[in-house]
Structure formats: structure tokens, C-alpha cells
């Protein structure tokens, strides 16, 4: 069982390519909440359903000021095909080389099959993890926990 980073821990910095090959860093996103959704593989049925759900609720995440990011160990080219097929409107980051380095830093790497866990993190504007969740690999974790965490951040601001 992996040991996910827990609320209160600083989020590890990262620098990963998105589907266009542009580097995305956590430092670039400071000042707003970040939703980081690790998932095992682009083309698995549960992952497709999970990312499609986040695509549907993306306007709610955005209204709460958050940046949604999906992360797996797939390459940026694989992510590009998946994102185009699913018409995803948020970035997918390639934790491809060194394989799973970001997932390892968040405690979300699956040594047994070389993929990411299905793990969610909400990171606040200052870079602290405010919520984390490890879902069973075969279960779509939905968006309720993410929304509650983002709403809690909004309440803290007022």
C-alpha cells in the first residue's frame, strides 16, 4: 500500500510536458488551487470514464479558481491522442521519463505494474496539499471529494 502525501505536506515541485510539449511547472501555477489527478493509463476504461467526468465538471473547478491536471506515466503523444479522442479540455502531463518520478514523489506510484495509482490531490495557492485521496485502482473516485476540498479553500479565503 503506497503512502500518499497527506494534507499539510508541501507539494513536490514538478516540471512535466503537456500534450503540446510545453513544460508545465507547479511554480507556474502558484496563486491558484491545483487539482492533480494521477491515473494508471490513458486508454483503460475506468481512466477514460474518470477523465470524462472531470471534463464535464471542469467549469465548476474553474469557477472555484482551480487548474485541473491529469497525470499518468504515458507519453505526451499517447496523451495527445487520448485527449483528442475524449475531447478533454484540461492538460494531461506526461510522467514518462524518468518514468513515474512525479508519482513516486507524491507516493502514488505502483511498483507492481509501473503505473500510477488512482490518486487525487488538491494543492492550495501556496503549494500545500490540502486534500488527498487514494482510490481503489478499479474504481472511478468521482469528483465529490475534489469539490468539497475546493469549496473549503474558498471558505478559508473569506
Amino acid at each position: 500500500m503506497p503512502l500518499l502525501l497527506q494534507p499539510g505536506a508541501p507539494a513536490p515541485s514538478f516540471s512535466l510536458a503537456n500534450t503540446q510539449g510545453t513544460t508545465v511547472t507547479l511554480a507556474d501555477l502558484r496563486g491558484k488551487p491545483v487539482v492533480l489527478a494521477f491515473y494508471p493509463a490513458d486508454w483503460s476504461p475506468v481512466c477514460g470514464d474518470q477523465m470524462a467526468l472531470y471534463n464535464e465538471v471542469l467549469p465548476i473547478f474553474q469557477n472555484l479558481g482551480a487548474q485541473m491536471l491529469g497525470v499518468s506515466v504515458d507519453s505526451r503523444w499517447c496523451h495527445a491522442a487520448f485527449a483528442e479522442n475524449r475531447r478533454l479540455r484540461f492538460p494531461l502531463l506526461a510522467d514518462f521519463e524518468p518514468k513515474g518520478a512525479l508519482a513516486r514523489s507524491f507516493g502514488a506510484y505502483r511498483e507492481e505494474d509501473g503505473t500510477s495509482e488512482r490518486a487525487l490531490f488538491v494543492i492550495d495557492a501556496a503549494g500545500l496539499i490540502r486534500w488527498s485521496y487514494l482510490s481503489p485502482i478499479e474504481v472511478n473516485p468521482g469528483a465529490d471529494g475534489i469539490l468539497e476540498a475546493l469549496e473549503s479553500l474558498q471558505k478559508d479565503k473569506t
Side-chain angles (χ1 to χ4, degrees), residues 21-108:
T22 303
T23 300
V24 176
T25 70
L26 182 58
D28 291 340
L29 301 170
R30 284 279 158 85
K32 61 177 151 184
V34 173
V35 177
L36 206 53
F38 288 93
Y39 61 98
D42 284 338
W43 298 98
S44 83
V46 176
C47 296
D49 291 347
Q50 181 185 5
M51 294 302 116
L53 172 65
Y54 298 154
N55 209 40
E56 290 298 316
V57 298
L58 186 62
I60 299 171
F61 292 164
Q62 292 171 332
N63 284 340
L64 292 167
Q67 172 67 56
M68 173 74 207
L69 300 170
V71 183
S72 80
V73 298
D74 294 301
S75 72
R76 70 180 183 96
W77 299 281
C78 187
H79 279 334
F82 178 66
E84 181 179 339
N85 179 272
R86 300 298 174 124
R87 298 187 175 135
L88 299 179
R89 295 171 285 132
F90 57 88
L92 300 178
L93 303 181
D95 194 11
F96 185 68
E97 184 60 37
K99 185 178 182 182
L102 183 60
R104 289 175 206 274
S105 71
F106 277 80

